[in-house]
Amino acid sequence: MHEFSYEAPTTVDQAVKLLSADGDSARIICGGTDLLIQMRNAVRKPRLLVDVKAIPEMRQISFDPKTGLKLGAAVPCIEIHENQTMRKYYPGLTEAAHLIGSLQIQSRASIGGNLCNSSPAADTSPALLALGAVAKIAGPNGTREVPVEKFFTGPGQNVLQKGEIVVQILIAAPAPHSADRYIRMIPRNEMDIAIVGAGACVTLDGDKVTAARIGLGAVAPTPILAPKAAEYLIGKKLDEKTAERAGELAREAASPIDDMRGTAEYRRHVVGVLTRRALLGAAERARQN
Amino acid sequence: MDTPQTHQFKVIGTRPVRHDGLDKVIGRAKYGADYSFPGMLYGKVLRSPYAHARIKSINAEKALRLPGVKAVVTHDDFAPQTTAPVYRMGGEAAVNPLYLASNILAKDKVLYAGQGVAAVAATSPHIAEEALGLIEVEYEPLPIVLDVLDAMKPGAPIINTTIRRKERPDEETNIAGEFQFKRGDIEAGFKSADIIVEREFRTEMVHQGYIEPPNALGIFSGDGHATVYTSTQGPFDVRIMSATLLGLPEGSVKVVPAEIGGGFGAKLTVHIEPVALLLSKHAGGRPVKMVMTRTEMMRGATGPTSGSVLRVRMGATRDGKIVAAKCWFAYEAGAFPGSPVWLGCFTGLSPYNIDNFLVDGYDVLVNKPKTSSYRAPGATNAAFAVECVVDELAQRCGMDPLDFRIKNASREGTPSVMGPKFPRIGCVEVCEALKRSAHYQTPLAQVPGKYRGRGVAIGFWINGGMQSSAIVNVHADGTASLVTGSVDIGGSRASTAMVVAEVLGLRAEDVRPAVADTDSIGYTDGTGGSRVAFATGLAAYQAANDVVRQLKERAAKIWEISPEDVDWIDGKAVSKRNGVAPLTLKDLAPRLTRTGGPVTGRANVYATGVGPSFAGCLVDLEIDPDTAKVQVLRCTVVQDVGKAIHPSYVEGQMQGGTVQGLGWALNEEYVYDEKGNLRNASFLDYRMPTCLDLPMIDPVMVEVANPGHPLGVRGVGEVSIVPPPAAVANAVSAAVGTRITDLPISPPRLYRILAARHG
């Protein structure tokens, strides 16, 4: 590995200054579960690493039933999994965080890192898309908020400008009778990377769907929403049949490729299967809320 | 009659804690990467980005100018090599030193992506890595061939222009070797068949997947001697190969074997040991340490095993007698000749007594890494094809798959595929034990919404004998030490020490086993071919008996009688003459000083009498019809183990091989892009099964004593990997109603089959 400097600021302002000062060769490090591999493989050669784990507001989970969730971007996935509020109100996002790598990896990896690494296959991204999450970004010109569906610009690419940091992830408090679910297809049972990931969030009024969002991973250059599939469900009863149809519509949103993890035809097929299962799973939870 | 099966052993067959266990559990055991020396340098290898290219020039000037860089070497720094073979493994394996050297550091051409081109030694691994980027190599890319059938076609890009087939001396070819076994009249055999099944199968290149990447620490001494510390299965193999590549006499290289984190055959050859020595030589004798990255290891600098195309045609009579078999096997050799196809040809049909067969095998060069051994090399591919066809034949005959196998099974006296008759073997016993197993006796329950299937297969492996040495030292406190040259890769320290303990009347804990370096023990072939418990165990047995002979002399001296009048019974010296109390080793040990001095037993063996092994695998699995993902629900492995010295480690071998076979069946494969780059050179994307993917593997040991060994021992390390891919394929075939012919049966592949079936 090449030589680099390391800083661990304790405020967002300091972090922004450090990042802004060092041209394009500074990188944020949180858990390092993606970045260190990229550095070892010489894919990235940052001269400065800015560690954000010492910034208190980036390490906190705060929830208010009115204003919703402020999830620190640097909170390790394992803390999300162990957090009772997260489990109760955002079970889908929580299970996504708990699928990343192994327990050891989850102790390092963060949702902010998963978001900013911007892999099309990131497990938490479809869950965030389904929840309508918003990234709160701090930068040299102040703060801005970007919905997750507008965050990604390509494989490994996003809207972050020089000096900018995702500080928190903001998610509205769940509506009554709503819930989320995330599932993925991997050839093994653990320790794997999604061939397809599907997140769904549904709100029910009695039997009828009043709101739905579906996020998909690993089937396009970025994690994507499947809006037609979600719109189709509005006003309908969510059952095997309608979920199947929504799955078919979700397939149309996907533009998968062949790679070493799976074929495009297989991925397209599995989008339908997982969308159906995620929707039914979310509805099952929503009925209990 | 007293046989190894009826004899009441005190130590053999028990399950003591292994002698090397604590150090391994707490992390104190020293593996190759744990060694370091003052003034040590770090070596790194520059590897080819091309799968096939001419090397036009290599310029290392900039790299040598980087502060901290102490040496840069290329192929030309090796001693000049020829193609004249160098023999190892007791003369049974020939190494082509030119190919060996060229595979490690390319000469003139690179033949696969990941092949070494140059190496650097520097004061830190980071500087060495940076220096690699400063070495300027000019390549002229050449056309590549990755597919084994494409490589056999006329007009294919030629990988080695000097290779010719015997009958076509004027034509360049990628067919580097041809093998044929035949018996009887194949045409007449098929004419007498009522049912004929013929299929073509395909398997992909797979890696052994050992945890510990290859490593070496080389010290080139100024006095013409050299020392290598390395995690190897074959210290004496490393010695001869390193000496040859460096142009040193064999005896001037000392190899110190470290603990080893898995090898499965791949660590029987050198990968970077000669490079570490070469760099040390060019850096003024400073120690040079090299540890491969996982990516280097996976890209093939260490040799995976062959992908293959396998065509099998078999005929049987209606009542279930196999009357003819025709096999055509083409194995990827990788970039240099030497796939295990001949072993596939030999082993594939070996479980069966067939009067008429013809087996053809081809060793085919492709622009992929040179293949290495992998647990029962060559046998798994062949068995996959043969056992799927046998399964289908049994089905078409309306017979139970195990009854069909028992009816056709090889037995004592059946001529093997190579000709010589089998000694006492356990093929039938394995099939019968599988039939009797609780697993087979319990029908597989179907569940709604899933496809479930059961599959069975058997497999054969020849096992190895060859050379081993052992020394047993008796200590004054009544304990003993055992010194061998066999690296302990599967519990062999425990099993060989138990053999010595049994003979000497000691507890297993009282015999301390050590693995010595190549200067400190007699020649010992590598830990491979399931040979250590058998052959090194035999040497240990004989060395212990050499101690017994001497202890009887000492007892005779004490009793003032003739040594002929002393027996050694149940670990005690017993006088035949008068009624004196017997003397144990513990009684005699403190009295050695005054009865003639220390006692050391030794033995050097070339072990013949090898007992081949059979194994059977039974698999239940479930398929998600929506995602085509296979989950193994239950798995039983039955193996003829001869005599289990330490049953836990025998069972461990059976389970380990089975798991590797299940991985091979379901998800493991090398995935290449069209340019010949390996796309999944990591344990993330090269998907070996984790413990979460597997049920408990139930091991059932069958003990059919090997008449060629005083304790009845057979090699147990390899054969369990042979049947699982076929067992899984047969189970999937049963579950979905379509014959599976291609490995791995990964979800995307199986989805395609299911989708085609549904139209």
Side-chain angles (χ1 to χ4, degrees):
Chain A
M1 205 188 282
H2 67 289
E3 274 189 21
F4 58 87
S5 322
Y6 170 87
E7 297 282 352
T10 53
T11 67
V12 172
D13 281 353
Q14 284 171 5
V16 168
K17 279 200 187 93
L18 283 163
L19 287 167
S20 309
D22 203 281
D24 292 328
S25 78
R27 295 290 299 180
I28 298 168
I29 184 164
C30 185
T33 56
D34 288 308
L35 183 63
L36 290 179
I37 293 166
Q38 292 161 0
M39 287 168 65
R40 285 203 184 108
N41 293 337
V43 175
R44 291 191 194 277
K45 293 186 173 179
R47 280 199 302 265
L48 171 66
L49 293 189
V50 179
D51 188 336
V52 294
K53 290 194 292 293
I55 301 170
E57 63 183 294
M58 292 185 68
R59 292 291 299 269
Q60 285 159 8
I61 302 173
S62 66
F63 177 76
D64 181 292
K66 289 202 183 82
T67 56
L69 177 74
K70 287 181 187 162
L71 174 62
V75 174
C77 288
I78 199 80
E79 283 180 25
I80 293 169
H81 172 68
E82 286 167 357
N83 184 290
Q84 293 307 317
T85 304
M86 290 298 298
R87 284 185 179 204
K88 185 174 174 198
Y89 295 106
Y90 308 99
L93 178 61
T94 305
E95 63 204 354
H98 195 45
L99 285 174
I100 294 174
S102 58
L103 291 179
Q104 291 91 330
I105 295 292
Q106 287 163 29
S107 300
R108 300 284 307 172
S110 64
I111 290 190
N114 208 215
L115 186 72
C116 294
N117 187 56
S118 300
S119 159
D123 280 311
T124 59
S125 295
L128 291 173
L129 286 167
L131 287 168
V134 171
K136 183 180 161 195
I137 298 167
N141 305 318
T143 61
R144 60 178 178 135
E145 294 184 359
V146 177
V148 171
E149 62 257 40
K150 298 210 166 106
F151 185 79
F152 307 110
T153 55
Q157 292 169 346
N158 54 50
V159 299
L160 288 182
Q161 300 295 308
K162 186 176 141 185
E164 285 191 323
I165 305 175
V166 174
V167 178
Q168 286 171 331
I169 290 144
L170 311 177
I171 307 175
H177 311 300
S178 80
D180 66 336
R181 176 93 170 99
Y182 174 76
I183 48 177
R184 64 176 182 178
M185 168 61 208
I186 52 172
R188 290 187 289 201
N189 291 336
E190 288 287 347
M191 305 290 291
D192 215 330
I193 197 159
I195 292 185
V196 178
C201 182
V202 296
T203 307
L204 302 179
D205 180 6
D207 261 358
K208 299 258 163 57
V209 175
T210 58
R213 287 174 67 92
I214 298 161
L216 300 173
V219 292
T222 69
I224 54 167
L225 280 170
K228 278 188 189 155
E231 278 158 28
Y232 159 80
L233 290 168
I234 306 298
K236 294 197 176 63
K237 184 183 172 192
L238 187 46
D239 57 17
E240 281 284 345
K241 214 176 123 208
T242 53
E244 178 79 35
R245 177 68 192 137
E248 282 167 21
L249 290 167
R251 278 190 189 118
E252 290 170 18
S255 53
I257 55 164
D258 285 328
D259 70 7
M260 70 282 195
R261 292 170 189 149
T263 57
E265 64 163 357
Y266 180 70
R267 286 191 153 115
R268 194 181 300 277
H269 167 75
V270 171
V271 164
V273 175
L274 295 195
T275 300
R276 168 167 57 83
R277 291 180 181 177
L279 283 167
L280 291 171
E284 176 83 29
R285 284 176 179 162
R287 280 182 207 111
Q288 284 153 30
N289 283 347
Chain B
M1 203 181 82
D2 189 39
T3 70
Q5 266 49 49
T6 58
H7 184 80
Q8 289 301 305
F9 292 109
K10 291 195 174 71
V11 180
I12 287 171
T14 64
R15 302 176 186 238
V17 171
R18 64 197 293 163
H19 303 76
D20 48 315
L22 180 66
D23 279 356
K24 284 181 174 167
V25 167
I26 67 173
R28 193 162 53 199
K30 254 182 135 160
Y31 290 81
D34 296 326
Y35 284 86
S36 64
F37 284 88
M40 191 171 77
L41 302 175
Y42 298 85
K44 290 274 177 192
V45 177
L46 179 68
R47 299 193 176 277
S48 167
Y50 293 100
H52 198 189
R54 202 172 305 287
I55 299 172
K56 296 179 80 176
S57 66
I58 303 175
N59 184 346
E61 274 174 39
K62 283 183 194 161
L64 283 163
R65 280 205 299 270
L66 183 71
V69 172
K70 299 298 176 189
V72 178
V73 297
T74 65
H75 178 95
D76 292 342
D77 294 305
F78 284 133
Q81 301 296 323
T82 69
T83 56
V86 167
Y87 291 97
R88 61 184 186 113
M89 306 290 270
E92 290 190 15
V95 177
N96 178 319
L98 181 63
Y99 290 166
L100 180 69
S102 306
N103 186 33
I104 293 171
L105 291 175
K107 179 179 169 61
D108 307 331
K109 278 209 314 182
V110 288
L111 306 178
Y112 62 93
Q115 187 177 355
V117 173
V120 175
T123 50
S124 90
H126 305 293
I127 294 172
E129 213 172 82
E130 202 179 330
L132 294 184
L134 298 174
I135 299 173
E136 294 162 340
V137 185
E138 200 185 337
Y139 294 100
E140 178 195 333
L142 298 167
I144 67 166
V145 60
L146 296 171
D147 180 85
V148 68
L149 294 182
D150 288 347
M152 295 174 84
K153 284 179 191 153
I158 294 296
I159 292 169
N160 181 331
T161 54
T162 67
I163 287 174
R164 297 288 185 278
R165 298 173 73 177
K166 252 191 204 133
E167 72 271 26
R168 293 187 188 165
D170 302 329
E171 263 177 49
E172 294 181 345
T173 179
N174 289 318
I175 299 173
E178 289 167 74
F179 304 87
Q180 188 174 76
F181 296 103
K182 57 182 170 183
R183 177 183 306 149
D185 182 338
I186 185 85
E187 299 299 326
F190 278 113
K191 268 192 195 128
S192 67
D194 300 312
I195 298 159
I196 293 174
V197 172
E198 181 171 7
R199 294 211 178 260
E200 179 174 302
F201 301 85
R202 232 174 212 279
T203 72
E204 299 299 328
M205 198 168 251
V206 294
H207 197 273
Q208 300 84 354
Y210 38 81
I211 296 289
E212 177 199 34
N215 52 71
L217 196 163
I219 306 168
F220 196 91
S221 170
D223 63 0
H225 288 78
T227 306
V228 193
Y229 297 77
T230 179
S231 299
T232 178
Q233 293 175 250
F236 288 87
D237 297 308
V238 172
R239 185 176 74 169
I240 179 69
M241 289 190 240
S242 299
T244 303
L245 265 49
L246 272 93
L248 294 171
E250 186 176 359
S252 53
V253 175
K254 178 169 91 173
V255 179
V256 184
E259 291 294 348
I260 182 166
F264 308 107
K267 292 179 186 168
L268 282 164
T269 185
V270 288
H271 300 300
I272 46 173
E273 292 88 344
V275 181
L277 283 175
L278 198 57
L279 284 168
S280 176
K281 180 181 173 186
H282 283 253
R286 287 175 72 170
V288 175
K289 178 168 167 174
M290 305 183 79
V291 180
M292 277 195 200
T293 64
R294 183 73 66 202
T295 308
E296 283 181 287
M297 170 189 132
M298 295 300 290
R299 280 179 86 198
T302 63
T305 197
S306 310
S308 52
V309 174
L310 313 150
R311 295 172 186 150
V312 174
R313 176 178 156 90
M314 290 177 93
T317 57
R318 206 162 284 115
D319 63 347
K321 171 76 189 136
I322 304 173
V323 289
K326 191 177 176 192
C327 303
W328 184 98
F329 299 149
Y331 280 36
E332 297 168 336
F336 296 91
S339 80
V341 66
W342 74 274
L343 287 163
C345 292
F346 168 41
T347 56
L349 295 175
S350 283
Y352 304 108
N353 184 1
I354 306 172
D355 290 336
N356 310 293
F357 62 75
L358 174 65
V359 185
D360 281 302
Y362 299 90
D363 184 37
V364 184
L365 298 182
V366 289
N367 291 117
K368 294 182 182 177
K370 177 184 173 352
T371 51
S372 286
S373 295
Y374 179 17
R375 207 169 197 154
T380 307
N381 308 51
F384 165 59
V386 169
E387 289 295 304
C388 286
V389 168
V390 165
D391 195 68
E392 198 171 349
L393 274 179
Q395 199 177 28
R396 302 235 336 241
C397 289
M399 280 179 75
D400 172 274
L402 286 168
D403 286 339
F404 184 86
R405 285 172 171 86
I406 291 167
K407 184 176 175 114
N408 291 286
S410 291
R411 295 155 196 265
E412 183 174 358
T414 303
S416 72
V417 169
M418 290 236 261
K421 288 178 177 170
F422 278 123
R424 182 77 174 90
I425 49 172
C427 185
V428 171
E429 286 81 354
V430 163
C431 292
E432 285 173 345
L434 257 183
K435 256 192 97 173
R436 278 196 310 271
S437 68
H439 183 173
Y440 202 69
Q441 294 294 324
T442 313
L444 173 63
Q446 294 295 332
V447 291
K450 303 275 187 193
Y451 302 142
R452 283 185 163 193
R454 170 172 289 180
V456 67
I458 61 173
F460 165 77
W461 183 241
I462 51 178
N463 292 332
M466 301 182 287
Q467 303 169 88
S468 284
S469 302
I471 296 168
V472 176
N473 299 299
V474 177
H475 303 315
D477 63 357
T479 64
S481 67
L482 166 66
V483 184
T484 74
S486 289
V487 167
D488 182 358
I489 205 162
S492 60
R493 258 185 293 227
S495 65
T496 49
M498 286 167 74
V499 168
V500 171
E502 185 74 45
V503 173
L504 297 182
L506 297 175
R507 298 179 310 156
E509 298 79 11
D510 289 339
V511 180
R512 199 173 172 82
V515 181
D517 65 62
T518 54
D519 280 356
S520 309
I521 185 72
Y523 183 88
T524 298
D525 281 306
T527 298
S530 300
R531 60 173 292 281
V532 174
F534 169 75
T536 305
L538 181 65
Y541 179 79
Q542 292 184 5
N545 277 297
D546 190 27
V547 168
V548 166
R549 178 184 57 80
Q550 297 173 62
L551 292 180
K552 281 158 69 180
E553 287 171 6
R554 301 305 173 89
K557 213 168 197 176
I558 291 165
W559 290 328
E560 297 180 336
I561 59 174
S562 157
E564 285 79 53
D565 289 332
V566 181
D567 275 336
W568 186 265
I569 299 167
D570 281 342
K572 296 178 194 91
V574 180
S575 169
K576 293 180 194 171
R577 300 251 316 251
N578 45 28
V580 294
L583 292 169
T584 64
L585 183 143
K586 289 208 187 286
D587 300 327
L588 288 163
R591 301 171 74 172
L592 295 181
T593 309
R594 298 203 175 178
T595 53
V599 164
T600 290
R602 62 165 195 85
N604 308 91
V605 303
Y606 192 121
T608 54
V610 175
S613 279
F614 290 84
C617 181
L618 176 62
V619 171
D620 290 349
L621 49 79
E622 180 174 283
I623 298 158
D624 180 335
D626 289 341
T627 62
K629 180 171 160 174
V630 176
Q631 176 68 49
V632 178
L633 301 173
R634 188 172 182 182
C635 181
T636 299
V637 50
V638 178
Q639 187 174 318
D640 169 21
V641 301
K643 177 71 196 171
I645 304 286
H646 193 307
S648 298
Y649 301 143
V650 173
E651 289 165 348
Q653 291 296 316
M654 292 164 66
Q655 292 169 317
T658 302
V659 168
Q660 288 184 312
L662 294 176
W664 196 334
L666 290 175
N667 280 303
E668 292 183 37
E669 65 176 316
Y670 267 35
V671 181
Y672 281 92
D673 67 16
E674 70 285 356
K675 289 183 175 164
N677 290 304
L678 182 64
R679 295 298 317 280
N680 57 338
S682 75
F683 278 172
L684 176 60
D685 286 318
Y686 182 84
R687 293 185 168 103
M688 298 196 298
T690 73
C691 57
L692 297 159
D693 301 308
L694 299 163
M696 180 66 185
I697 311 293
D698 289 321
V700 178
M701 295 185 292
V702 174
E703 293 190 324
V704 177
N706 169 19
H709 190 280
L711 299 167
V713 170
R714 292 176 196 274
V716 299
E718 291 167 286
V719 70
S720 58
I721 196 176
V722 180
V728 169
N730 289 335
V732 174
S733 298
V736 304
T738 303
R739 278 281 155 188
I740 301 297
T741 55
D742 292 2
L743 297 184
I745 312 166
S746 60
R749 264 179 221 261
L750 186 55
Y751 165 70
R752 189 166 289 175
I753 290 165
L754 296 178
R757 202 188 55 172
H758 294 308

